[in-house]
Amino acid sequence: MTPGIPDEYFVRGNVPMTKEEIRILSISKLRLKEDSVIWDIGAGTGSVSVEAALISKRGVVYSIEKEEEGIKLINENIKKFNVENIVVVAGLAPDVLLDLPSPDRIFIGGAGDKMYQTFKTALTKLKRDGIIVVNGITLDTAYSAHRYFKQNKYKVETICVNISVSKEAGNKTMMIARNPVYIITAEKEG
């Protein structure tokens, strides 16, 4: 299966999911290796975890989720896509991160009210030459993440992605805009 699994292939519920186009851009920014150790914080349905696990076949993905429904959906998607290198971690970041193995790559799809504490733990545990990618839908998240990583001597890039998807409107086709998403990538300098 190629990167960019269509959204409709995933088992979904009432838990947020990183959409296909944003997911593939975020995964691209992670620069995954075949043996990467990855944290997916705020994993939701596990869509990023599944795609990352398929790329990093000899690595492991720690799929961190606090919502019971999300944990159920992640497990269903693990079965559906037959990936065995995902470890589901039930709980709230940053608390559950402390006992996990140090990652090469971190994806943060949601950190809630503990964003700064999660960033701090991530920087403490991230291996040398590691990469962190944060997705945010608010200016506040984008600004806070960009500033935090820059203050901590990381090379930071923020992009804003605006996606529109076609929809049939009678015998015409129109474009329907989705919410803009900020993708913040942080790499340790030097």
Side-chain angles (χ1 to χ4, degrees):
M1 185 164 281
T2 62
I5 298 170
D7 290 342
E8 60 270 13
Y9 287 18
F10 288 95
V11 180
R12 298 179 64 186
N14 294 317
V15 176
M17 182 176 90
T18 303
K19 302 292 187 287
E20 174 185 349
E21 298 85 2
I22 301 303
R23 186 171 59 248
I24 197 62
L25 287 170
S26 298
I27 287 174
S28 172
K29 294 291 185 182
L30 283 169
R31 310 274 186 253
L32 297 175
K33 297 177 182 172
E34 193 172 313
D35 62 349
S36 292
V37 174
I38 305 148
W39 288 356
D40 178 4
I41 301 171
T45 61
S47 64
V48 171
S49 293
V50 166
E51 292 233 31
L54 291 169
I55 294 167
S56 297
K57 294 178 190 304
R58 293 188 303 117
V60 63
V61 178
Y62 292 89
S63 190
I64 297 109
E65 177 56 47
K66 66 178 181 175
E67 300 295 334
E68 193 173 310
E69 181 183 4
I71 293 161
K72 179 178 169 270
L73 291 169
I74 294 165
N75 283 312
E76 288 180 32
N77 282 311
I78 288 170
K79 287 178 191 157
K80 181 171 184 175
F81 290 94
N82 195 30
V83 286
E84 298 177 0
N85 57 335
I86 297 177
V87 176
V88 180
V89 179
L92 185 62
D95 306 332
V96 298
L97 305 175
L98 299 173
D99 294 328
L100 295 179
S102 291
D104 305 294
R105 305 292 188 259
I106 299 173
F107 175 76
I108 303 175
D113 295 335
K114 302 223 176 188
M115 181 171 61
Y116 288 115
Q117 298 94 319
T118 300
F119 291 166
K120 182 178 179 182
T121 301
L123 294 186
T124 302
K125 297 278 287 193
L126 186 66
K127 290 180 184 173
R128 188 169 185 223
D129 299 325
I131 298 173
I132 299 174
V133 172
V134 178
N135 280 185
I137 58 171
T138 68
L139 286 169
D140 307 282
T141 299
Y143 172 78
S144 297
H146 188 99
R147 185 166 183 226
Y148 185 89
F149 294 124
K150 196 167 185 118
Q151 286 176 337
N152 282 279
K153 309 293 187 231
Y154 275 66
K155 179 179 147 194
V156 184
E157 174 194 61
T158 298
I159 62 172
C160 178
V161 181
N162 296 286
I163 302 286
S164 294
V165 179
S166 64
K167 178 183 177 187
E168 298 304 314
N171 63 351
K172 306 274 186 200
T173 302
M174 60 186 288
M175 298 303 289
I176 303 296
R178 292 186 178 161
N179 289 337
V181 177
Y182 300 94
I183 301 173
I184 302 94
T185 305
E187 296 181 65
K188 188 76 170 171
E189 291 187 297

